[in-house]
Amino acid sequence: MRTIQAADEGAPPTTALAGRDAPATIRLAAILGLLATAALLGIVSATAGLGVAGWISGLATGSAASTLLVTARMRGEPAAIFPADWVTLSRSLLIAGVAGLVADSFSRPVSVTALVTLATVALVLDAVDGQVARRTGTTTPLGARIDGEADAFLILLLSIAVSQDYGNWVLVIGAARYVFLLAGWVVPWLAAQLPPRYWRKVVAAVQGIVLTVAASGLLAQLTGMLAVAAAALLLAESFGRDVIWLCRAGATARTRRVLRVAVTVLSAAIVWGVLLAPEHAEQYSFTAFVRVPLEGLVLVAVALVLPARPRRILAAVAGFLFGLLTLVKILDVGFYTEVDRAFNPVLDWGDIGPALGVVRDAIGPARTNVALVALWVGVVLIVGGITASAVRITSVAARHRRGTARGLAGLTVVWALCAALSVQLVPGFPVASTSTASLAVAQVRDTRAALRDNRAFQQSLTGYDPAASVPASDLLTGLRGKDVIIAFVESYGQVAVQGTTFSPGVDSVLRKSTASLADAGWSTRSAWLTSPTFGGISWLAHSTLQSGVWVNTEQRYGELVTSHRFNLTDAFHKAGWRTVSDAPSDEYTWPAGSSFYHFDKLYDRRNVGYHGPTFSYASMPDQYTLAAFQRLELTPGHKPVMAEFDLVSSHTPWAPLPSMVPWDQVGDGSIFDPMPARSQSPIAVWRSAATVRQFYGQSIQYSMSALTSWVTEANDPNLVLILLGDHQPNTTVSGAGANHEVPISIIARDPSVLQRITPWHWQDGLLPGPSAPLEPMDAFRDQFLDTFNTRPAG
């Protein structure tokens, strides 16, 4: 019997038996490791595909892991393979499979499912081997070291995979362990033995989980980048704490002095960077940071004249405010990317909940919670790091007053000259920067403006509304006996039909559809509307069109649907129509549908009889939505129907896509079963912005083909169809700085309907040109009612 020191902090010494057959067992482990590696790679090759580079990398990784494990155990005391080693060896073989897939990813697309599955199982086994070692009394420092190196190599591989989508900065996570190891060879005190620390294990686990989720492609890129950045900050904190401990324990006075200088330079760089960081993702470049921030100069100048305690308080407060403004900049980057506007401190907090709901629907509650934890840790580290950096530079400046004063004077002169001459290295970025102060002023200004605007919005909800006072006998008389359908086509924006790589395909479908409608006796008119939203939050557009008030935030939407504002559904209901909502992707009861819109019937994914597959966000193809509505509502002799559709086959992520089938074969939707497998997956599509734009265009073509084909198929002479987009697609498709314009069209067979809208000056056909009329979406309600009522409201 031999004594083995436990690797875990506070664990007692344990014992293990080194039997006579230990060398044979070790040799068996080596042989099994090599054979299992080849077998695993064979399975990966057969199921997911593996090229020459993948085979070579996988075999090299598996062979090296097996060799290192058995060599270490052969030389160890005692020479034995312990139960936990078999778990670690299994993890190493799975990591070999990950290595093969990552190596292949540089030359061809690889199976993300296979990559994520192997990495996930390897991460789960990471928690198993420690438990096995402790329960069998065979914990050893060598076993802990081997386990840690397996973790580090898996994190390196995952960071390489994620960096291909998020950028090379992610490699910092994977390289950190090896940089630290190399630094220990150069700087001996960095190679000293660290005391056990449980937090170190937690941080390693977070890196593996976050990188695996990011590699899966299920997170939106911005959300994924924020989660990975938060994980990187967490890793930096852990390594930083270890370096500080090692420095205090073994570094020389000269080394500690060098480190203090490095920390000071890093602190200055952090404060400099956050003060100059832009608010748009596309504006980040090296030259954007080659400026002089006035706020930093003021902070240092004030610190030079204050006593120690007030100086520290000032620096902490300033650093905390800089940190908060940095978070605002991060939110601005996200809001400009997704909804094409800055974050509003009063109105936009309500948008966070729905955004989390979309993420939770896409990746599941567990992964969302992991991402949220990483995000919150990142927030704390960002604010804490910026605050600590501000305190650090003011303290150093106070200790070196004379040199700091000279440097401050020189930078102040440079700032003043650049301000006087309006020097700009990049248009829109003055070298004499006041961007953070301007952001703070803008936040205060926007807060006050939002409060004033909100009061005006409240007055529009509670004040006199002429449309609500029109008698039922005068309401919508120009549409009596008609089935009126308002069909929102998800993400159908101006970029779909004008000036993009994918617009010619959409335009071709619209022209053909216009011609086929005309051949069947239908007429069409089109124009433009300005949507209150961008990239998402479709219900803001729906409520704006219906209510005639500008609803551009989640907070406003909440206030609207709890009010008694008269909407288009109310008008049709009052005039005698049966009113229906069809939201095919809803799976929960929609309270506002009854309490505010007062629909007589609400259809969703639960009650339209669909038994086919889902298409990512879309629970059913648009063709089935239309066919089910026809079957459920447009029966012979039915009462005139007013309905609002949400056609969501063109909803992000725009993959997989359905295709049209003969209308008489739609049935219960099972005919669509093979289609998801025939199309590319969201993960594959979102690896390339060009592919995302291609699939977006194809999704619009499908939705418009289904809708116009349904009109001719239904052949209802009393049908009046109003089809429009809810918003432009996000910036991945629309590009930076896109407007909020969406097409709107009216399709009708009765000439009197289109004759009434002649004063609108809409253009013929489904494809509005650049000169077609443009109106804000909130103007449509009153324009529509005034046109089809017996007399205008008021």
Side-chain angles (χ1 to χ4, degrees):
M1 302 291 291
R2 306 183 182 205
T3 300
I4 302 171
Q5 179 63 42
D8 294 303
E9 183 176 8
T14 58
T15 59
L17 178 64
R20 296 179 180 178
D21 60 346
T25 305
I26 294 174
R27 287 191 292 272
L28 176 64
I31 295 171
L32 290 178
L34 296 175
L35 293 176
T37 299
L40 175 68
L41 294 175
I43 294 172
V44 173
S45 180
T47 57
L50 202 63
V52 175
W55 272 98
I56 293 174
S57 300
L59 288 172
T61 300
S63 302
S66 303
T67 302
L68 290 174
L69 176 63
V70 299
T71 301
R73 283 308 189 191
M74 187 70 78
R75 295 178 179 178
E77 285 293 335
I81 290 290
F82 298 115
D85 292 334
W86 292 107
V87 180
T88 302
L89 182 59
S90 301
R91 290 185 61 223
S92 300
L93 302 183
L94 293 169
I95 293 171
V98 174
L101 290 169
V102 171
D104 261 8
S105 68
F106 289 96
S107 58
R108 65 185 186 88
V110 299
S111 171
V112 176
T113 302
L115 176 68
V116 172
T117 301
L118 292 173
T120 300
V121 176
L123 290 171
V124 171
L125 290 179
D126 184 29
V128 173
D129 53 8
Q131 291 288 337
V132 171
R134 284 187 287 273
R135 293 188 178 186
T136 58
T138 55
T139 55
T140 65
L142 178 60
R145 177 67 181 273
I146 294 172
D147 184 49
E149 294 304 330
D151 290 340
F153 192 64
L154 176 59
I155 290 172
L156 174 63
L157 293 173
L158 290 173
S159 67
I160 293 172
V162 175
S163 69
Q164 296 179 34
D165 292 328
Y166 289 8
N168 290 334
W169 63 272
V170 182
L171 295 174
V172 171
I173 295 177
R177 162 63 185 152
Y178 300 98
V179 171
F180 188 76
L181 185 64
L182 292 173
W185 294 351
V186 178
V187 183
W189 58 267
L190 284 174
Q193 183 68 35
L194 283 163
R197 185 159 57 89
Y198 181 74
W199 179 245
R200 195 180 297 123
K201 298 179 182 180
V202 173
V203 171
V206 168
Q207 307 307 307
I209 293 171
V210 171
L211 288 172
T212 301
V213 173
S216 71
L218 295 175
L219 287 176
Q221 190 171 49
L222 179 62
T223 304
M225 291 181 72
L226 289 174
V228 173
L233 290 172
L234 195 64
L235 185 66
E237 181 274 337
S238 181
F239 271 103
R241 190 186 300 185
D242 286 345
V243 170
I244 291 172
W245 187 93
L246 291 169
C247 178
R248 290 173 177 173
T252 63
R254 180 180 180 183
T255 300
R256 287 196 290 270
R257 185 165 56 252
V258 170
L259 287 176
R260 285 195 296 270
V261 171
V263 170
T264 301
V265 172
L266 178 61
S267 298
I270 289 174
V271 173
W272 189 284
V274 300
L275 292 176
L276 297 175
E279 299 164 51
H280 295 260
E282 68 275 5
Q283 293 176 339
Y284 277 79
S285 65
F286 174 77
T287 50
F289 294 91
V290 184
R291 298 184 291 154
V292 181
L294 177 63
E295 304 84 1
L297 301 181
V298 172
L299 175 64
V300 174
V302 175
L304 289 178
V305 300
L306 288 178
R309 184 176 177 82
R311 182 187 67 245
R312 286 193 293 270
I313 294 174
L314 169 70
V317 172
F320 182 74
L321 292 176
F322 291 164
L324 292 182
L325 289 172
T326 300
L327 295 179
V328 171
K329 289 183 179 182
I330 293 173
L331 288 170
D332 279 349
V333 168
F335 269 71
Y336 276 119
T337 300
E338 296 298 329
V339 295
D340 196 36
R341 61 177 176 82
F343 170 76
N344 188 289
V346 174
L347 302 176
D348 286 332
W349 294 110
D351 293 337
I352 296 177
L356 289 176
V358 172
V359 174
R360 188 172 288 106
D361 290 341
I363 68 173
R367 289 176 175 175
T368 301
N369 292 336
V370 170
L372 283 176
V373 170
L375 191 60
W376 276 113
V377 171
V379 167
V380 172
L381 291 176
I382 288 172
V383 176
I386 294 171
T387 302
S389 297
V391 173
R392 175 71 182 180
I393 61 176
T394 54
S395 298
V396 172
R399 288 199 300 267
H400 303 84
R401 293 180 184 274
R402 180 173 298 178
T404 301
R406 292 174 179 171
L408 182 63
L411 285 174
T412 302
V413 170
V414 171
W415 188 94
L417 288 174
C418 291
L421 298 174
S422 300
V423 177
Q424 296 184 14
L425 299 179
V426 178
F429 289 89
V431 173
S433 172
T434 59
S435 60
T436 298
S438 299
L439 176 62
V441 172
Q443 289 294 298
V444 174
R445 182 186 64 242
D446 291 348
T447 298
R448 296 175 60 185
L451 292 173
R452 289 196 305 270
D453 193 41
N454 199 45
R455 287 194 292 269
F457 180 75
Q458 291 288 344
Q459 291 175 0
S460 68
L461 297 184
T462 58
Y464 173 68
D465 183 3
S469 63
V470 176
S473 58
D474 292 334
L475 268 175
L476 300 166
T477 52
L479 293 172
R480 292 294 169 90
K482 300 289 190 294
D483 295 317
V484 181
I485 311 298
I486 300 175
F488 281 96
V489 179
E490 174 67 39
S491 300
Y492 179 38
Q494 188 183 68
V495 295
V497 298
Q498 283 188 8
T500 56
T501 57
F502 47 83
S503 58
V506 178
D507 293 352
S508 176
V509 169
L510 293 178
R511 291 190 180 97
K512 290 179 181 177
S513 296
T514 299
S516 63
L517 286 167
D519 291 342
W522 298 85
S523 299
T524 54
R525 302 285 189 277
S526 299
W528 302 103
L529 294 179
T530 302
S531 173
T533 184
F534 181 96
I537 325 180
S538 305
W539 50 91
L540 304 184
H542 302 175
S543 56
T544 294
L545 186 92
Q546 282 257 14
S547 67
V549 293
W550 193 253
V551 186
N552 61 342
T553 66
E554 184 68 18
Q555 177 177 321
R556 282 191 166 189
Y557 176 79
E559 294 172 355
L560 172 67
V561 297
T562 56
S563 72
H564 299 286
R565 176 74 179 182
F566 190 72
N567 54 62
L568 287 176
T569 304
D570 289 332
F572 278 96
H573 189 84
K574 183 177 178 180
W577 268 264
R578 171 177 167 81
T579 56
V580 176
S581 167
D582 197 341
S585 284
D586 284 359
E587 57 182 346
Y588 304 107
T589 302
W590 178 35
S594 301
S595 63
F596 175 70
Y597 290 106
H598 306 115
F599 285 113
D600 295 317
K601 181 65 177 180
L602 299 174
Y603 290 110
D604 56 35
R605 67 190 305 173
R606 300 170 297 177
N607 59 0
V608 292
Y610 183 66
H611 296 285
T614 60
F615 292 80
S616 193
Y617 176 86
S619 61
M620 63 193 72
D622 289 344
Q623 186 178 9
Y624 183 87
T625 299
L626 296 164
F629 178 81
Q630 176 81 19
R631 168 172 48 85
L632 294 169
E633 289 292 335
L634 301 185
T635 56
H638 67 276
K639 181 180 180 180
V641 174
M642 176 269 176
E644 180 185 311
F645 286 170
D646 300 340
L647 299 180
V648 295
S649 289
S650 54
H651 192 288
T652 183
W654 304 302
L657 289 176
S659 55
M660 294 291 292
V661 301
W663 285 98
D664 59 359
Q665 297 180 22
V666 171
D668 64 357
S670 56
I671 191 174
F672 300 106
D673 283 341
M675 293 185 184
R678 296 173 186 166
S679 177
Q680 292 193 45
S681 68
I683 295 173
V685 168
W686 278 81
R687 288 188 173 275
S688 165
T691 309
V692 172
R693 289 189 283 269
Q694 172 193 342
F695 270 70
Y696 164 78
Q698 292 174 2
S699 73
I700 295 296
Q701 292 179 43
Y702 168 78
S703 291
M704 298 304 293
S705 296
L707 192 54
T708 54
S709 172
W710 173 72
V711 171
T712 56
E713 177 71 18
N715 197 29
D716 178 2
N718 290 318
L719 177 66
V720 176
L721 175 64
I722 303 166
L723 70 91
L724 71 157
D726 47 12
H727 53 71
Q728 293 259 55
N730 63 37
T731 53
T732 303
V733 176
S734 296
N739 59 40
H740 287 219
E741 296 176 14
V742 298
I744 180 170
S745 302
I746 290 183
I747 302 173
R749 195 163 187 171
D750 186 347
S752 67
V753 174
L754 295 180
Q755 187 172 359
R756 279 181 174 262
I757 70 170
T758 299
W760 298 3
H761 304 294
W762 286 19
Q763 295 180 345
D764 289 337
L766 292 172
L767 182 61
S771 61
L774 170 66
E775 297 286 348
M777 194 172 283
D778 60 341
F780 181 81
R781 187 203 72 161
D782 289 345
Q783 183 184 42
F784 185 82
L785 292 176
D786 287 347
T787 298
F788 291 103
N789 287 351
T790 299
R791 55 186 176 84

